[in-house]
Amino acid sequence: MNVLRSLLRRDAGLTALRRSVRAAIVAPGLFAVAMAITDSPVVPLFAAFGSIAMLLFVEFAGPMRDRLVEQAALVVTGAVLISLGTLVSREVWLCTVATAVVSFVVLFSGVVSSALAGASTPLLVSFVLAATLPGTAQAIPDRLAGWGLAGVTSLLAVRLLWPTPVREPLRNATANACRALAVQLRAEADCVLRGFGTADRTALDTIVGEASDAVTALREAYFATPYRPTGLSTSTRVLIRLVDEVLLLATVLDRVSVGEKATPSDAVVCGVKTAAADLLRASAEALSTTDDQEPGHLTPLQERLALTRSAMENTVTSFRPVTTDSRRAGQPEDDRRPDPTATRFVSSLEPSFRAQEMSFAVSAIARNVELILAARGRSLWQRLIGQRPEGAASTLASAQERAGAHTERHSAWLRNSVRGAIALALAVLVAEQSGVQHSFWVAFGTLAVLRSSAVLTGQNSLRAIAGTAVGILIGGGLIYLIGSNTPFLWVLLPVAVLFTGLAPATISFAAGQAGFTVSILILFNLLEPVGWRVGIVRIEDVAIGCAVSVVVGTLFWPRGAAPLLGHALAEGFSESTRYLRGAIGYGVTRCDSLVRTAPLPDEERYRAAAAARRLDDAFRGFLAERGTKHLPLTDVTTLVTAVAVLRLTADAVLDLWERDQGQSGADRTAARSEIDRSGDALLSWYEATANAMTGSGDVPEAQPRDVGADERLIHAVERDLVDGRSEQSPTAIRVVWTADHLEAARRLQRLVLKPARAVAERQREHNARLGLFRPSARPHGNGTR
């Protein structure tokens, strides 16, 4: 029982055990069948390696139908790579160049799909095995026969041998977070309407804590994998957007607690919260169910939320203040202070602004859930022909956008892909030129231990060599004792394969290397009995491969995960700030008839999304990197979340103004100038902070709230609010709400300040060690309009 509890603790869901059991059954059995039906040693070799690669080195997730499709695609792609590897295997220079190109394409293609990222190791194994075993075109059929046997058997094994239950932790965690936040919204509305009794306040505090726990669980599920958990299918692509929107909603609700002071808009604000809670709860139920549902059943709830939001906007407009001309008579236009009545009115808009901001996030969540439902409801034929739901981007466009996001020199994914390609190509070249007996092991040694920094590569090299040495001692000793007792080797082979798959998850990387060494010793001795000497050959080959990976890791960007994360954070803040500046500029010029409306910030939106993808990958690399974390994880998480909040705040500002149907034929130069002035000062702070996180400059002090700016803005829109006409008031209120978005970004500074200074200090220390001064990648303008 203790062993089982320990196994469950180290191997959640018994995923590694399932893979290992399948491989332990299939690989030896297929190896035996292949040896029995053919005299060629190539077919059993490719059958054994293929079954190990496709059952041990990859585990696709999601519904069984999707897993089988992805497994079949892996078999077909591997067959193509084996054919290509065989054709280039006889010329050293051609093999080296082809290895570099294929390795880069395979590694870099992981940016568009987590399935491709997870399958990169078996794909590289298929190519490298074929490329490092010289052969002519006539050898391709035997190699494909072995690989094909392994592929067909792997499909049957995935479907029939202890199949993994359908587990979609990210989708379930997203649904749970939506459900908890819906309960919080409903409880907040009830508290306000009932007058904040003691019992209600206690219950609300409990509900808020539960919602916070659910959001934390979602964040942990999202970052639980070493690569972005997305794919090329519509539902997986949309799910990632959904996570960002749920995190934004949680941030909005956490930003300001529910106030107990009554305001004229309480009833309509609570109506919006109730409608949003109902829509959010229905979205959570739709997301969590595995049954196909008809798209559109959320539409009535979406329409209800839109109507209550419009009613709220109209209602708060009707509360606009009315002043007497006599009280303000004789005061020069530029000298008089804002009317206290108008000031109180603008302050009372705070709850309605929070409701508007919250309803934007909930509406976006519901729209994306509808897309997921529509994508799930497609027939197999519709999936095959690429028919996509209305409103969803094409697969090709999404792939191009994701790949384009990483064609930037600071991209961790690009650097790792280039480094991996060069390392594997160099390993193949060294193996061919040195004349080692099994050059495949040189390349595989490189592939196994290459990581994101030279130090960790060296550590894994030592573990790989140590594990291989232990495996040789154990396997060589067994083979020496067994001698020519082939039946006993067949008995040991499944045990060795089982240990190979289970050891990395439950014991250590070195233990997995030891198990793999024993498995290969047994395989080679069954193919060609040569005793323990094959182990000595293998440790020499793996040592060469490890040395290659250390050299490449040292020469190419020896920075590690933390410095790359610092640059990715800097770019994330910089590009999100530019996008927010563009969104605000679009809004404040749209409301002023005296200036030309600024264009939609589409380019800024694209660049912000691309920077967010690079930041996501850099953060995952930071989480996956072994060793001491010189930056506290909570600080890094705070900064990553802040980048997302700034970007989604820009989305909210655009949504606010794109829905404006009011008359813009008025002179709002004063209001526009005030927002521009406040926005430029605030966003310049974020740009300076981004620059500091590259190791250049210091993070400035957080800006205090400028009360004078608030008064000037109220004075600028006061005429629209008090002139007795209704057509201008909605636009004036949107001006105030835009300023509220800026105020939310200003409050975010307090959370960002301490972590940003820690990152900046760490980056300066790193640059000093390398003797480098790295300015920011792009100059920052002041953005004045």
Side-chain angles (χ1 to χ4, degrees), residues 30-31 33-35 37-38 40-48 50-51 54 75 78-79 82-83 86 138-153:
L30 194 59
F31 186 62
V33 169
M35 288 187 66
I37 64 176
T38 180
S40 170
V42 174
V43 176
L45 182 65
F46 275 80
S51 56
M54 287 185 275
V75 175
I82 287 173
S83 302
T86 304
Q138 286 72 30
I140 292 178
D142 284 348
R143 298 181 177 195
L144 292 183
W147 181 265
L149 282 173
V152 172
T153 311

Side-chain angles (χ1 to χ4, degrees), residues 69-141:
V69 169
E70 290 166 346
Q71 193 79 16
L74 170 60
V75 175
V76 173
T77 308
V80 173
L81 293 178
I82 287 173
S83 302
L84 178 60
T86 304
L87 293 176
V88 303
S89 63
R90 296 181 65 84
E91 294 289 341
V92 175
W93 70 268
L94 186 59
C95 183
T96 302
V97 172
T99 300
V101 174
V102 170
S103 299
F104 176 79
V105 171
V106 169
L107 293 172
F108 189 71
S109 63
V111 300
V112 303
S113 167
S114 56
L116 286 173
S120 60
T121 297
L123 289 175
L124 289 174
V125 166
S126 68
F127 177 81
V128 170
L129 180 60
T132 52
L133 292 176
T136 63
Q138 286 72 30
I140 292 178

Side-chain angles (χ1 to χ4, degrees), residues 691-758:
N691 199 42
M693 284 190 284
T694 66
S696 174
D698 297 317
V699 177
E701 292 292 338
Q703 291 186 332
R705 181 165 188 169
D706 186 351
V707 179
D710 293 344
E711 292 183 349
R712 290 191 298 271
L713 179 63
I714 294 171
H715 176 64
V717 299
E718 184 180 1
R719 182 179 58 189
D720 289 336
L721 296 174
V722 303
D723 67 356
R725 295 181 300 161
S726 61
E727 65 269 15
Q728 301 296 342
S729 294
T731 301
I733 289 174
R734 279 181 166 78
V735 171
V736 175
W737 280 346
T738 301
D740 284 337
H741 278 296
L742 278 173
E743 172 60 18
R746 187 196 65 79
R747 293 177 181 175
L748 191 63
Q749 290 178 106
R750 296 196 300 268
L751 297 176
V752 168
L753 186 62
K754 177 178 173 292
R757 284 178 170 169

Side-chain angles (χ1 to χ4, degrees), residues 103-118 120 225-230 402-403 405-421 557 564 613-618 620-621:
S103 299
F104 176 79
V105 171
V106 169
L107 293 172
F108 189 71
S109 63
V111 300
V112 303
S113 167
S114 56
L116 286 173
S120 60
T225 58
Y227 38 78
R228 192 175 174 92
T230 186
R402 293 179 193 179
H406 288 274
T407 55
E408 199 277 339
R409 67 189 183 93
H410 287 136
S411 167
W413 203 290
L414 176 65
R415 294 183 175 197
N416 288 335
S417 299
V418 171
R419 182 167 57 241
W557 307 291
L564 277 178
R613 291 189 179 94
R614 293 193 294 271
L615 174 57
D616 185 284
D617 290 322
R620 291 176 193 279

Side-chain angles (χ1 to χ4, degrees), residues 2 8 45 78 114 165 171 367 601 651 656:
N2 290 334
L8 288 172
L45 182 65
S114 56
R171 191 184 71 178
R367 285 195 299 270
D651 287 341
L656 174 67

Side-chain angles (χ1 to χ4, degrees), residues 215-230:
V215 172
T216 299
L218 170 60
R219 188 178 285 109
E220 291 174 351
Y222 180 64
F223 288 111
T225 58
Y227 38 78
R228 192 175 174 92
T230 186

